[in-house]
Every structure is written in C-alpha cells, then in structure tokens.
Amino acid sequence: MTSIARLYILIFILTFFLSNFTSAQGFDDQEGNRSTNKIEISFKPQFTAIMVPFEDYPSNRNADYEIGSNSRIYGLEISATLNYKSFIGIGAGIGSENLLLENENIDYLPVFLEVTPFPAANPKKGFASFSGRIGTHLGDLDKKGVYLRADLGYYIPLIDHITLYFKVLFTHQTLYKSFPDVERLTNKYSFNGIGFGFGLEFYL
C-alpha cells in the first residue's frame, strides 16, 4: 500500500470520527452517551478478517510460503478497557490470529495495549469511536515483531450494558517465522492490511 493511500485512510478516519463526535455526541448532551463522574470497565470479544495486499517475490522461490493474492488474516480476540470519565479509555488484550500465506499459514498470539479517546460508557444511542493499538506477537515464532493497529467502529446499543459494534481497521505487522527447507531470503514478513471486525462490548 502506498503512502498516499495510507494518508487518505487516516484522513477519512479522523474526519469521520471528529464529525460524529461533534454532532451525535455533543458535549451538551446530558441524556446521551456520556458519563463524566465515574470510571467504567468494559470487555470486548471480537472477530476480525483482514486483507493483506499482494507482495512481490522472486519467481524462483516457493510461492507456498510467500504473501500473495490469496493471503488473509483471521482472528479472535478479547480485551478489557478502563474508561476514565469518558475522556480516555486504556485497555489491554490478547488474541489468536492466523496469517494465510499462499498455501501455508502462520499462527500467532497478538498481545496489545489499546487507547480509545472519548469512549462512551454504557451508551444509550449509536456512536462512532476511534482506537489505536500497539503490541507484539507471541507463539511459535522466531522472535517478537511489531503490531500496530487503528480502527474506526460504530457501536449500536442492544440492551442495557451491552452494545454490538462493527469496525473497519488498518494494521501494520512484522512477523518472524522460518519454515524448514524453504528458499526465502529472510524470515521476516512485514505487511500492511485493511479489514473489518465485529463483536460485543459488555459494560460493568
């Protein structure tokens, strides 16, 4: 993905988040989503699916172990967040993801810290929210790599203390994985991806 495309994605995320924040979640909305006098805790199980852009590789290498046009990431995760006075949410989580190469795969466990500006606690109406993550990968890998992710989600209250959400997300990751008897010049898989996620958020 080019730097221009990444810039457009970032601009879209910031514009959408700010427009929603200033209109649907105005500071003067006393009956809306915001709670300003306490700390809230939330838990989020989530499913994700991510498209990984095609990466060129030499034709004399075994394509089974390369990132190609069929590459995808599928994952499940759970995170917990501490929301402070609807000003900022700080959380942590762990997941299980699978990077599908052309005909092989890499399994790993992402662990991450997550920051959410202006979270809504136990919302009464739908709202958009932006969050960012930083972390690494655990599992049967050669060493730990970089895990960076940003997402924009829309949350829909179902019943009191439970919301359904959908997200679009951007990920940048670096995985280190060696396969036996493979003619790869490096064990490093560094890639960007765009995908979606959905799940439930439970507010305590």
Side-chain angles (χ1 to χ4, degrees), residues 139-201:
D140 185 20
L141 304 170
D142 296 349
K143 63 178 182 178
K144 296 180 177 64
V146 175
Y147 172 97
L148 298 173
R149 192 165 289 183
D151 62 62
L152 177 66
Y154 193 79
Y155 290 68
I156 305 170
L158 297 179
I159 59 176
D160 196 31
H161 296 287
I162 300 177
T163 62
L164 170 70
Y165 63 84
F166 301 91
K167 293 183 175 181
V168 293
L169 60 90
F170 170 80
T171 190
H172 171 75
Q173 295 173 236
T174 301
L175 294 169
Y176 295 90
K177 175 69 175 180
S178 296
F179 294 96
D181 303 321
V182 175
E183 296 180 2
R184 259 185 75 90
L185 302 178
T186 175
N187 66 343
K188 179 180 178 180
Y189 292 85
S190 185
F191 56 89
N192 300 315
I194 299 174
F196 71 92
F198 64 88
L200 298 172
E201 183 160 16

Coordinates of all heavy atoms in Angstrom, one line a residue, residues 139-201:
G139 N 4.0 -16.8 20.4 CA 3.7 -18.1 19.8 C 4.9 -18.7 19.2 O 6.0 -18.4 19.5
D140 N 4.7 -19.6 18.2 CA 5.8 -20.4 17.6 C 6.4 -19.5 16.5 O 6.3 -19.8 15.3 CB 5.2 -21.7 17.1 CG 6.4 -22.6 16.5 OD1 7.5 -22.3 16.9 OD2 6.0 -23.5 15.7
L141 N 7.1 -18.5 16.9 CA 7.8 -17.6 16.0 C 9.2 -17.5 16.3 O 9.7 -17.8 17.4 CB 7.1 -16.2 16.1 CG 5.6 -16.1 15.9 CD1 5.1 -14.7 16.2 CD2 5.3 -16.4 14.4
D142 N 10.0 -17.0 15.4 CA 11.5 -16.8 15.7 C 11.8 -15.8 16.7 O 12.7 -15.9 17.5 CB 12.2 -16.5 14.3 CG 12.1 -17.6 13.3 OD1 11.6 -18.7 13.7 OD2 12.4 -17.4 12.2
K143 N 11.0 -14.7 16.7 CA 11.2 -13.6 17.6 C 9.9 -12.7 17.6 O 9.1 -12.9 16.7 CB 12.4 -12.8 17.4 CG 12.5 -12.1 16.1 CD 13.8 -11.3 16.0 CE 13.9 -10.5 14.7 NZ 15.1 -9.6 14.6
K144 N 9.8 -11.8 18.5 CA 8.7 -10.9 18.6 C 8.8 -9.9 17.5 O 9.8 -9.5 17.1 CB 8.6 -10.2 20.0 CG 8.4 -11.2 21.1 CD 8.3 -10.4 22.4 CE 8.0 -11.3 23.6 NZ 9.1 -12.3 23.8
G145 N 7.6 -9.5 17.0 CA 7.5 -8.4 16.0 C 6.6 -7.3 16.3 O 6.0 -7.3 17.4
V146 N 6.5 -6.3 15.4 CA 5.7 -5.1 15.7 C 4.2 -5.4 15.3 O 3.9 -6.0 14.3 CB 6.2 -4.0 14.8 CG1 5.3 -2.7 14.9 CG2 7.7 -3.6 15.2
Y147 N 3.4 -4.9 16.2 CA 1.9 -5.0 15.9 C 1.3 -3.6 16.2 O 1.3 -3.1 17.3 CB 1.3 -6.0 16.9 CG -0.2 -6.1 17.0 CD1 -0.9 -7.0 16.2 CD2 -0.9 -5.2 17.8 CE1 -2.3 -7.1 16.3 CE2 -2.3 -5.3 17.8 CZ -3.0 -6.2 17.1 OH -4.4 -6.3 17.1
L148 N 0.9 -2.9 15.1 CA 0.2 -1.6 15.2 C -1.1 -1.7 14.5 O -1.2 -2.2 13.4 CB 1.1 -0.6 14.5 CG 2.5 -0.3 15.1 CD1 3.3 0.6 14.2 CD2 2.4 0.2 16.5
R149 N -2.1 -1.2 15.1 CA -3.5 -1.3 14.5 C -4.3 -0.1 14.9 O -4.2 0.4 16.1 CB -4.2 -2.6 15.0 CG -5.4 -2.9 14.2 CD -5.8 -4.4 14.4 NE -4.9 -5.3 13.8 CZ -5.0 -6.6 13.8 NH1 -6.1 -7.2 14.4 NH2 -4.2 -7.4 13.2
A150 N -5.1 0.4 14.0 CA -6.0 1.5 14.2 C -7.4 1.1 13.7 O -7.4 0.5 12.6 CB -5.5 2.8 13.6
D151 N -8.5 1.5 14.3 CA -9.8 1.1 13.8 C -10.8 2.2 14.1 O -10.6 3.1 15.0 CB -10.3 -0.2 14.5 CG -10.4 -0.1 16.0 OD1 -11.3 0.7 16.4 OD2 -9.7 -0.9 16.7
L152 N -11.8 2.2 13.3 CA -13.0 3.1 13.5 C -14.2 2.2 13.5 O -14.5 1.5 12.6 CB -13.1 4.1 12.3 CG -14.3 5.0 12.4 CD1 -14.2 6.0 13.5 CD2 -14.4 5.8 11.1
G153 N -14.9 2.3 14.7 CA -16.1 1.4 14.9 C -17.3 2.2 15.1 O -17.3 3.4 15.5
Y154 N -18.5 1.5 14.8 CA -19.8 2.1 15.1 C -20.5 1.1 16.0 O -20.6 -0.1 15.8 CB -20.6 2.3 13.8 CG -21.8 3.2 14.1 CD1 -21.7 4.5 14.2 CD2 -23.1 2.6 14.3 CE1 -22.8 5.4 14.5 CE2 -24.2 3.4 14.6 CZ -24.0 4.8 14.7 OH -25.1 5.6 15.0
Y155 N -20.9 1.7 17.2 CA -21.5 0.9 18.3 C -23.0 1.1 18.3 O -23.5 2.2 18.2 CB -20.9 1.4 19.6 CG -19.4 1.0 19.7 CD1 -18.4 1.6 19.0 CD2 -19.0 0.0 20.7 CE1 -17.1 1.2 19.1 CE2 -17.7 -0.3 20.8 CZ -16.7 0.3 20.0 OH -15.4 -0.1 20.2
I156 N -23.7 0.0 18.4 CA -25.2 0.0 18.5 C -25.7 -0.6 19.8 O -25.4 -1.8 20.0 CB -25.8 -0.8 17.3 CG1 -25.2 -0.2 16.0 CG2 -27.3 -0.7 17.3 CD1 -25.6 -1.0 14.7
P157 N -26.3 0.1 20.7 CA -26.8 -0.5 21.9 C -27.8 -1.6 21.6 O -28.8 -1.4 20.8 CB -27.4 0.7 22.7 CG -26.7 1.9 22.1 CD -26.5 1.6 20.6
L158 N -27.7 -2.7 22.3 CA -28.7 -3.8 22.2 C -29.6 -3.8 23.4 O -30.8 -3.6 23.3 CB -28.0 -5.1 22.1 CG -27.1 -5.3 20.8 CD1 -26.4 -6.7 20.9 CD2 -27.9 -5.2 19.6
I159 N -29.0 -4.0 24.6 CA -29.7 -3.8 25.8 C -28.8 -3.1 26.8 O -27.7 -2.8 26.4 CB -30.2 -5.2 26.4 CG1 -28.9 -6.1 26.6 CG2 -31.1 -5.9 25.5 CD1 -29.2 -7.4 27.3
D160 N -29.3 -2.8 27.9 CA -28.5 -2.1 28.9 C -27.2 -2.8 29.2 O -27.2 -4.0 29.5 CB -29.3 -1.9 30.2 CG -28.7 -0.8 31.1 OD1 -28.1 0.1 30.5 OD2 -28.8 -0.9 32.3
H161 N -26.1 -2.1 29.1 CA -24.7 -2.6 29.4 C -24.2 -3.5 28.3 O -23.1 -4.1 28.5 CB -24.7 -3.4 30.7 CG -25.0 -2.5 31.9 ND1 -24.1 -1.6 32.4 CD2 -26.1 -2.4 32.6 CE1 -24.6 -0.9 33.4 NE2 -25.9 -1.4 33.6
I162 N -24.8 -3.6 27.1 CA -24.3 -4.5 26.0 C -24.5 -3.7 24.7 O -25.6 -3.3 24.4 CB -25.0 -5.8 26.0 CG1 -24.8 -6.6 27.2 CG2 -24.4 -6.6 24.8 CD1 -25.5 -8.0 27.3
T163 N -23.4 -3.6 23.9 CA -23.5 -3.0 22.6 C -22.9 -3.9 21.6 O -22.0 -4.7 21.8 CB -22.8 -1.6 22.5 OG1 -21.4 -1.8 22.8 CG2 -23.4 -0.6 23.5
L164 N -23.5 -3.8 20.4 CA -22.9 -4.5 19.2 C -22.1 -3.5 18.4 O -22.5 -2.4 18.3 CB -24.0 -5.1 18.3 CG -23.7 -5.6 16.9 CD1 -22.9 -6.9 17.1 CD2 -24.9 -5.8 16.1
Y165 N -20.9 -3.9 17.9 CA -20.1 -3.0 17.1 C -19.6 -3.6 15.9 O -19.4 -4.8 15.8 CB -19.0 -2.4 18.0 CG -18.0 -3.4 18.5 CD1 -16.9 -3.8 17.7 CD2 -18.1 -3.9 19.7 CE1 -16.0 -4.7 18.1 CE2 -17.2 -4.8 20.2 CZ -16.1 -5.2 19.4 OH -15.2 -6.1 19.8
F166 N -19.3 -2.7 14.9 CA -18.7 -3.1 13.6 C -17.5 -2.1 13.4 O -17.6 -0.9 13.7 CB -19.7 -3.0 12.5 CG -20.9 -3.9 12.6 CD1 -22.0 -3.4 13.2 CD2 -20.8 -5.2 12.2 CE1 -23.1 -4.2 13.4 CE2 -21.9 -6.0 12.3 CZ -23.1 -5.5 12.9
K167 N -16.4 -2.6 12.9 CA -15.2 -1.8 12.7 C -14.6 -2.0 11.4 O -14.6 -3.1 10.8 CB -14.1 -2.2 13.8 CG -14.5 -1.8 15.2 CD -13.4 -2.2 16.2 CE -13.7 -1.7 17.6 NZ -12.6 -2.0 18.5
V168 N -14.0 -0.9 10.9 CA -13.0 -1.0 9.8 C -11.7 -0.8 10.4 O -11.5 0.1 11.3 CB -13.3 0.0 8.6 CG1 -14.6 -0.4 7.9 CG2 -13.4 1.4 9.2
L169 N -10.6 -1.4 9.9 CA -9.3 -1.3 10.6 C -8.2 -1.4 9.6 O -8.3 -1.9 8.5 CB -9.2 -2.4 11.7 CG -9.3 -3.9 11.2 CD1 -7.9 -4.4 10.8 CD2 -9.9 -4.8 12.3
F170 N -7.1 -0.8 10.1 CA -5.8 -0.8 9.4 C -4.8 -1.4 10.3 O -4.7 -1.1 11.5 CB -5.4 0.6 8.9 CG -4.0 0.7 8.4 CD1 -3.7 0.3 7.1 CD2 -3.0 1.1 9.2 CE1 -2.4 0.4 6.6 CE2 -1.7 1.2 8.7 CZ -1.4 0.8 7.4
T171 N -4.0 -2.3 9.7 CA -2.9 -3.0 10.5 C -1.6 -2.9 9.9 O -1.5 -3.0 8.6 CB -3.3 -4.5 10.8 OG1 -2.4 -5.0 11.8 CG2 -3.2 -5.3 9.6
H172 N -0.5 -2.7 10.7 CA 0.8 -2.9 10.2 C 1.5 -3.9 11.1 O 1.5 -3.7 12.4 CB 1.6 -1.6 10.3 CG 3.1 -1.7 10.0 ND1 3.6 -2.0 8.7 CD2 4.1 -1.7 10.8 CE1 4.9 -2.1 8.8 NE2 5.2 -2.0 10.1
Q173 N 2.0 -5.0 10.6 CA 2.6 -6.0 11.4 C 3.9 -6.5 10.8 O 4.1 -6.5 9.6 CB 1.6 -7.2 11.6 CG 0.4 -6.8 12.3 CD -0.7 -7.9 12.3 OE1 -1.8 -7.7 11.9 NE2 -0.3 -9.1 12.8
T174 N 4.8 -7.0 11.7 CA 6.0 -7.7 11.3 C 6.1 -9.0 12.0 O 6.2 -9.0 13.2 CB 7.3 -6.8 11.6 OG1 7.1 -5.5 10.9 CG2 8.5 -7.5 11.1
L175 N 6.1 -10.1 11.3 CA 6.2 -11.4 11.9 C 7.5 -12.0 11.4 O 8.0 -11.8 10.3 CB 5.1 -12.3 11.4 CG 3.7 -11.9 11.8 CD1 2.6 -12.8 11.0 CD2 3.5 -12.2 13.3
Y176 N 8.1 -12.8 12.3 CA 9.4 -13.5 12.0 C 9.1 -15.0 12.2 O 8.9 -15.5 13.3 CB 10.5 -13.1 13.0 CG 10.9 -11.6 12.8 CD1 10.2 -10.6 13.6 CD2 11.9 -11.3 11.9 CE1 10.6 -9.3 13.4 CE2 12.3 -9.9 11.8 CZ 11.6 -9.0 12.5 OH 12.0 -7.6 12.4
K177 N 9.1 -15.7 11.0 CA 8.8 -17.1 11.0 C 9.7 -17.8 10.0 O 9.7 -17.4 8.8 CB 7.3 -17.3 10.7 CG 6.9 -18.8 10.6 CD 6.9 -19.5 11.9 CE 6.4 -20.9 11.7 NZ 6.4 -21.7 13.0
S178 N 10.4 -18.9 10.4 CA 11.2 -19.7 9.5 C 10.4 -21.0 9.2 O 9.8 -21.6 10.1 CB 12.5 -20.0 10.1 OG 13.3 -18.8 10.3
F179 N 10.5 -21.4 8.0 CA 10.0 -22.7 7.6 C 11.2 -23.6 7.1 O 12.1 -23.1 6.4 CB 9.0 -22.6 6.4 CG 7.7 -21.9 6.8 CD1 7.5 -20.5 6.6 CD2 6.7 -22.6 7.4 CE1 6.4 -19.9 6.9 CE2 5.5 -22.0 7.8 CZ 5.4 -20.6 7.6
P180 N 11.2 -24.9 7.4 CA 12.3 -25.7 7.0 C 12.4 -25.9 5.5 O 11.3 -26.1 4.8 CB 12.0 -27.1 7.7 CG 10.5 -27.1 8.0 CD 10.2 -25.6 8.2
D181 N 13.6 -25.9 5.0 CA 13.9 -26.2 3.6 C 13.1 -25.2 2.6 O 12.5 -25.7 1.6 CB 13.5 -27.6 3.2 CG 14.3 -28.6 4.1 OD1 15.5 -28.3 4.4 OD2 13.7 -29.6 4.6
V182 N 13.0 -24.0 3.0 CA 12.3 -23.0 2.1 C 13.3 -22.0 1.6 O 14.1 -21.4 2.4 CB 11.2 -22.3 2.9 CG1 10.6 -21.2 2.0 CG2 10.1 -23.3 3.3
E183 N 13.3 -21.7 0.3 CA 14.3 -20.7 -0.2 C 13.8 -19.3 -0.1 O 13.6 -18.6 -1.1 CB 14.5 -21.1 -1.7 CG 15.1 -22.5 -1.9 CD 15.3 -22.7 -3.4 OE1 15.0 -21.9 -4.2 OE2 15.8 -23.8 -3.7
R184 N 13.5 -18.9 1.1 CA 13.3 -17.5 1.4 C 14.5 -16.8 1.9 O 15.3 -17.4 2.7 CB 12.2 -17.3 2.5 CG 10.8 -17.1 2.0 CD 9.8 -16.8 3.1 NE 10.0 -15.5 3.8 CZ 9.4 -14.4 3.4 NH1 8.5 -14.5 2.4 NH2 9.6 -13.3 4.0
L185 N 14.8 -15.6 1.4 CA 16.0 -14.9 1.8 C 15.9 -14.4 3.2 O 17.0 -14.0 3.8 CB 16.2 -13.7 0.8 CG 16.4 -14.1 -0.7 CD1 16.5 -12.9 -1.6 CD2 17.5 -15.1 -0.9
T186 N 14.8 -14.3 3.7 CA 14.6 -13.8 5.1 C 13.4 -14.5 5.8 O 12.5 -15.0 5.1 CB 14.3 -12.2 5.1 OG1 14.1 -11.8 6.4 CG2 13.1 -11.9 4.2
N187 N 13.4 -14.5 7.1 CA 12.3 -15.0 7.9 C 11.3 -13.9 8.2 O 10.4 -14.1 9.0 CB 12.8 -15.7 9.1 CG 13.5 -14.7 10.1 OD1 13.8 -13.6 9.7 ND2 13.6 -15.1 11.3
K188 N 11.5 -12.7 7.7 CA 10.7 -11.6 8.1 C 9.5 -11.4 7.1 O 9.7 -11.3 5.9 CB 11.6 -10.3 8.0 CG 10.8 -9.0 8.4 CD 11.8 -7.8 8.3 CE 11.1 -6.5 8.6 NZ 12.0 -5.4 8.6
Y189 N 8.3 -11.3 7.7 CA 7.1 -11.0 6.9 C 6.6 -9.6 7.5 O 6.1 -9.5 8.6 CB 6.0 -12.0 7.2 CG 6.3 -13.4 6.6 CD1 7.1 -14.3 7.3 CD2 5.8 -13.7 5.3 CE1 7.4 -15.5 6.7 CE2 6.1 -15.0 4.7 CZ 6.9 -15.9 5.5 OH 7.1 -17.1 4.9
S190 N 6.7 -8.6 6.7 CA 6.3 -7.2 7.1 C 5.2 -6.8 6.1 O 5.5 -6.8 4.9 CB 7.5 -6.3 7.1 OG 7.1 -5.0 7.5
F191 N 4.1 -6.4 6.6 CA 3.0 -6.1 5.7 C 2.0 -5.1 6.3 O 2.0 -4.9 7.5 CB 2.2 -7.4 5.3 CG 1.8 -8.2 6.6 CD1 0.5 -7.9 7.1 CD2 2.6 -9.1 7.1 CE1 0.1 -8.6 8.2 CE2 2.1 -9.8 8.3 CZ 0.9 -9.5 8.8
N192 N 1.2 -4.5 5.5 CA 0.0 -3.7 5.9 C -1.2 -4.4 5.4 O -1.2 -5.1 4.5 CB 0.1 -2.3 5.3 CG 1.3 -1.6 5.7 OD1 1.7 -1.6 6.8 ND2 2.0 -0.9 4.7
G193 N -2.3 -4.1 6.1 CA -3.6 -4.8 5.7 C -4.8 -3.9 6.1 O -4.7 -3.1 7.0
I194 N -5.9 -4.1 5.4 CA -7.1 -3.4 5.7 C -8.2 -4.5 5.9 O -8.3 -5.5 5.1 CB -7.5 -2.5 4.6 CG1 -6.5 -1.4 4.4 CG2 -8.9 -1.9 4.8 CD1 -6.7 -0.5 3.2
G195 N -9.1 -4.3 6.9 CA -10.1 -5.3 7.2 C -11.2 -4.8 8.0 O -11.5 -3.6 8.0
F196 N -12.0 -5.7 8.6 CA -13.1 -5.4 9.4 C -13.2 -6.3 10.6 O -12.5 -7.3 10.7 CB -14.4 -5.5 8.6 CG -14.8 -7.0 8.3 CD1 -15.6 -7.6 9.2 CD2 -14.3 -7.6 7.2 CE1 -16.0 -9.0 8.9 CE2 -14.6 -8.9 6.9 CZ -15.5 -9.6 7.8
G197 N -14.0 -5.8 11.6 CA -14.2 -6.6 12.8 C -15.6 -6.4 13.3 O -16.2 -5.4 13.0
F198 N -16.1 -7.3 14.1 CA -17.3 -7.1 14.8 C -17.3 -7.9 16.1 O -16.6 -8.8 16.3 CB -18.5 -7.5 13.9 CG -18.6 -9.0 13.6 CD1 -19.2 -9.9 14.4 CD2 -18.0 -9.5 12.4 CE1 -19.2 -11.2 14.1 CE2 -18.0 -10.8 12.1 CZ -18.6 -11.7 13.0
G199 N -18.2 -7.5 17.0 CA -18.2 -8.1 18.3 C -19.2 -7.4 19.2 O -20.0 -6.6 18.8
L200 N -19.1 -7.8 20.5 CA -19.9 -7.2 21.6 C -19.1 -6.5 22.6 O -17.9 -7.0 22.8 CB -20.8 -8.3 22.2 CG -21.8 -9.1 21.4 CD1 -22.4 -10.2 22.2 CD2 -22.9 -8.1 20.9
E201 N -19.6 -5.5 23.2 CA -18.9 -4.8 24.3 C -19.8 -4.9 25.5 O -21.0 -4.5 25.4 CB -18.5 -3.4 24.0 CG -17.7 -2.7 25.1 CD -16.9 -1.5 24.7 OE1 -17.2 -1.0 23.6 OE2 -16.1 -1.1 25.4

